[in-house]
Amino acid sequence: ILISGNSSSDKTDLARAIIRGINAMYPDKQKKIAKTSGESINQRGITKAMARLKGTALIVEGAGTIQPKRINELLNCLEQDTDRMIVIFEDSDAEMNVLLNFNPDLTKQFNHRIILKQYTVNELVEMARKFARKRQYEVDDDALLELYLKIDKLHSVTDNIRLDDIKEIINKAIAH
């Protein structure tokens, strides 16, 4: 599985949640989580550690830095008996795209990609306006300025704004 997104997106949390979900679906075949980095794989390789990693879920942070020779080593290891090992690469969109461009064979083994999108303030405001329209309300000019201020304030506190946060702002405005 390839997971990409900007630095503030919770790529590791998503990877762990995926593993927890798999463990919940197959309680008799629980997978322990092993975590490493692309730099560590570059320095140490992966072949020696494969005996210990069989049957685990390996999360590789900063996977975009893995050198092509180490990618080939990893792909060779994954062709062997891995006892249904799961490997999750995570990095920024740009790094992941570079990794895939230089190592097109990766897409044969890593056949799932999740891209975590972070919305801009303008995109969030537009979502809020659409939600208000669905509830049969319009956001007038004065309210639009207030909406921008509230979303910008929320955006400065946390980069992970949920759709529920936007809906809550609109619902409070409608109630007011």
Side-chain angles (χ1 to χ4, degrees):
I1 301 172
L2 303 172
I3 300 176
S4 60
N6 67 10
S7 61
S8 63
S9 60
D10 294 329
K11 296 179 291 290
T12 304
D13 288 346
L14 177 60
R16 286 190 170 130
I18 290 169
I19 303 308
R20 282 194 301 272
I22 291 169
N23 284 340
M25 288 176 62
Y26 303 103
D28 54 324
K29 296 180 182 176
Q30 295 283 309
K31 297 199 175 299
K32 291 186 178 179
I33 296 175
K35 203 165 113 181
T36 189
S37 68
E39 284 300 320
S40 178
I41 289 175
N42 284 339
Q43 291 171 5
R44 297 188 182 112
I46 194 83
T47 307
K48 294 175 189 168
M50 278 307 288
R52 291 186 314 257
L53 293 172
K54 280 186 177 183
T56 66
L58 176 64
I59 299 172
V60 182
E61 294 178 326
T65 61
I66 302 175
Q67 299 164 349
K69 70 177 184 175
R70 295 300 188 188
I71 291 290
N72 291 331
E73 180 183 327
L74 176 67
L75 291 175
N76 288 335
C77 289
L78 293 177
E79 293 292 325
Q80 312 303 315
D81 175 31
T82 63
D83 192 22
R84 301 183 57 85
M85 177 181 174
I86 297 172
V87 180
I88 300 176
F89 277 7
E90 62 174 61
D91 211 331
S92 69
D93 286 331
E95 291 289 331
M96 196 65 75
N97 290 337
V98 168
L99 181 71
L100 291 173
N101 285 339
F102 283 100
N103 304 284
D105 290 343
L106 271 178
T107 56
K108 292 176 186 145
Q109 283 288 342
F110 292 81
N111 51 3
H112 299 289
R113 184 168 183 185
I114 300 168
I115 300 171
L116 300 176
K117 173 123 172 61
Q118 295 294 89
Y119 295 103
T120 65
V121 173
N122 288 340
E123 290 170 322
L124 293 168
V125 167
E126 192 52 40
M127 283 182 203
R129 292 177 80 179
K130 285 179 183 176
F131 179 69
R133 273 189 228 112
K134 283 183 183 177
R135 304 247 351 249
Q136 308 297 315
Y137 288 89
E138 265 314 309
V139 179
D140 67 17
D141 292 341
D142 292 338
L144 187 61
L145 177 61
E146 189 65 28
L147 183 60
Y148 265 101
L149 291 172
K150 283 185 185 281
I151 290 177
D152 187 48
K153 182 178 179 185
L154 190 61
H155 198 267
S156 66
V157 173
T158 178
D159 275 337
N160 294 331
I161 298 175
R162 299 171 309 156
L163 189 56
D164 289 344
D165 297 330
I166 300 301
K167 287 179 178 179
E168 185 179 329
I169 291 170
I170 294 298
N171 287 335
K172 283 182 181 178
I174 290 171
H176 182 66

